[in-house]
Amino acid sequence: MKNVIDIQGLTKRYGKLLALDHVNLSVSEGSIFGLIGPDGAGKSTLYHILATLLSPDDGSATVAGLDVVKEHKKLRAEIGYMPEKFSLYPDLTVRENLHFFASLFGVDVNKNFDLTAPIFDQLKKFPDRKAGALSGGMKQKLALGCALIHRPKVLLMDEPTTGVDAVSRSEFWEMLSTLKEKGITILVSTSYMDEAQRCEHIALINKGRILDVDTPVRLVDGMDKNLYNASSKEMYPLLEALRTLPEVKECYTFGSTLHVVTNNGFNPDDAVKELRQKGLEDALIWPAKGNIEDLFIKLAKDDG
């Protein structure tokens, strides 16, 4: 299967800040590829370059076989781009936004109806509502409809579901799966680990560098080793106490528990006894199942 996005040595600086540090990345045609990283990792800079809104300082990138710098005008007709912040016209209605973006690409709103039907079915209830008055989920569905209006080969999405309710997020990802089946390649960044699991491949990015690339399953394979949950009514004292144990390499908050990364000499029963001697009488430690978030924390720490 050929690569529809090919990035080689991509570098971008803002003054002294190195936003992208010789990034190499390939995305296969017809896949959903996830980009995972914290704020400031370089995700948006990478999207801006791929969307031809920004030029790199060094390296190269091609999307759909077109160079993002030398062939940027041709490329804009082949990509759909959804930036992190809602970028449609809030004072235009749903209908007006759709017709405006269709006119930019010289197409009819209904031309690619097989792509946009699931979206339009939800938007047709209020065609005359101002885009700025839509809910967060509906705003993003409208933005997706506008990004697909010209049937792009590649869809670039920068954290499209941030701040969207769980039901709308699930519906949104169902739409992405349908688009993939129709041959559209999707590069999507997300801060939700459940969404990362739905990608075929993911890249972990931090401080402008790609830390690792693989399938979600292979990336977290082996993360269960030396990883434990810990809990107590007094979570912060527990966190501090665990960090003093010589066998504990890292301890951090994870939902309603703590995740504890240990070395091979760690014995959870001995650790519980020691914690209870320190006054944490209800302390519990049990094996944890690792996920992408644990992996990212580990890689980011090693990268630091």
Side-chain angles (χ1 to χ4, degrees):
M1 188 176 292
K2 69 177 183 179
N3 294 327
V4 75
I5 297 177
D6 192 22
I7 300 168
Q8 299 292 329
L10 207 61
T11 303
K12 183 63 183 180
R13 296 178 179 85
Y14 299 109
K16 294 182 179 180
L17 175 65
L18 185 58
L20 292 177
D21 186 2
H22 298 87
V23 169
N24 297 309
L25 191 66
S26 296
V27 178
S28 298
E29 185 177 30
S31 65
I32 299 180
F33 192 106
L35 191 62
I36 314 299
D39 290 343
K43 302 188 300 295
S44 292
T45 297
L46 180 59
Y47 275 105
H48 289 162
I49 291 173
L50 296 179
T52 75
L53 302 175
L54 192 66
S55 295
D57 295 324
D58 198 8
S60 64
T62 59
V63 180
L66 299 170
D67 188 278
V68 297
V69 176
K70 298 174 185 177
E71 301 171 286
H72 64 278
K73 291 184 178 178
K74 287 183 180 179
L75 178 55
R76 287 173 183 171
E78 304 295 342
I79 60 174
Y81 174 49
M82 279 185 64
E84 182 177 2
K85 293 183 179 178
F86 184 66
S87 60
L88 303 185
Y89 293 95
D91 292 333
L92 294 183
T93 66
V94 168
R95 180 189 289 112
E96 289 168 341
N97 267 290
L98 290 168
H99 282 277
F100 173 75
F101 279 90
S103 68
L104 288 180
F105 292 99
V107 298
D108 184 85
V109 168
N110 297 315
K111 182 178 180 181
N112 297 307
F113 193 70
D114 63 312
L115 286 183
T116 56
I119 306 167
F120 288 177
D121 282 347
Q122 297 185 45
L123 293 171
K124 67 183 180 182
K125 299 174 185 176
F126 28 74
D128 297 317
R129 184 175 298 180
K130 297 285 182 69
L134 296 172
S135 67
M138 283 301 175
K139 280 181 179 178
Q140 293 304 78
K141 288 168 187 173
L142 176 58
L144 178 58
C146 290
L148 293 170
I149 208 81
H150 58 299
R151 200 181 193 94
K153 293 179 180 176
V154 180
L155 187 57
L156 305 172
M157 312 178 77
D158 192 359
E159 302 211 15
T161 59
T162 298
V164 175
D165 66 88
V167 173
S168 293
R169 284 204 296 122
S170 178
E171 291 174 350
F172 199 89
W173 273 85
E174 288 174 9
M175 291 177 188
L176 296 189
S177 297
T178 300
L179 294 173
K180 174 193 172 297
E181 291 171 3
K182 293 182 180 295
I184 293 179
T185 304
I186 300 167
L187 177 64
V188 55
S189 64
T190 177
S191 57
Y192 297 106
M193 295 304 147
D194 61 316
E195 293 185 351
Q197 299 279 3
R198 299 179 73 162
C199 299
E200 291 157 90
H201 286 81
I202 56 175
L204 304 177
I205 183 171
N206 190 45
K207 299 177 182 176
R209 290 184 289 182
I210 300 295
L211 304 181
D212 207 347
V213 181
D214 212 325
T215 66
V217 171
R218 284 201 291 262
L219 278 173
V220 299
D221 186 36
M223 277 301 297
D224 296 354
K225 184 179 180 181
N226 299 333
L227 182 67
Y228 296 87
N229 287 308
S231 70
S232 169
K233 290 180 181 178
E234 300 180 83
M235 293 297 283
Y236 187 70
L238 177 64
L239 176 69
E240 290 188 312
L242 282 166
R243 285 177 172 173
T244 66
L245 300 183
E247 300 87 2
V248 172
K249 297 168 63 176
E250 184 62 59
C251 184
Y252 49 88
T253 301
F254 195 92
S256 61
T257 69
L258 301 178
H259 267 193
V260 188
V261 184
T262 73
N263 61 30
N264 290 330
F266 181 78
N267 184 302
D269 294 332
D270 291 343
V272 167
K273 290 178 183 177
E274 189 168 344
L275 290 170
R276 290 179 177 174
Q277 288 173 0
K278 292 176 185 261
L280 295 161
E281 296 181 0
D282 64 338
L284 295 173
I285 298 176
W286 68 98
K289 184 171 180 58
N291 64 15
I292 293 169
E293 188 171 352
D294 292 299
L295 176 65
F296 183 81
I297 290 171
K298 177 182 182 298
L299 291 174
K301 186 174 184 294
D302 293 345
D303 188 50

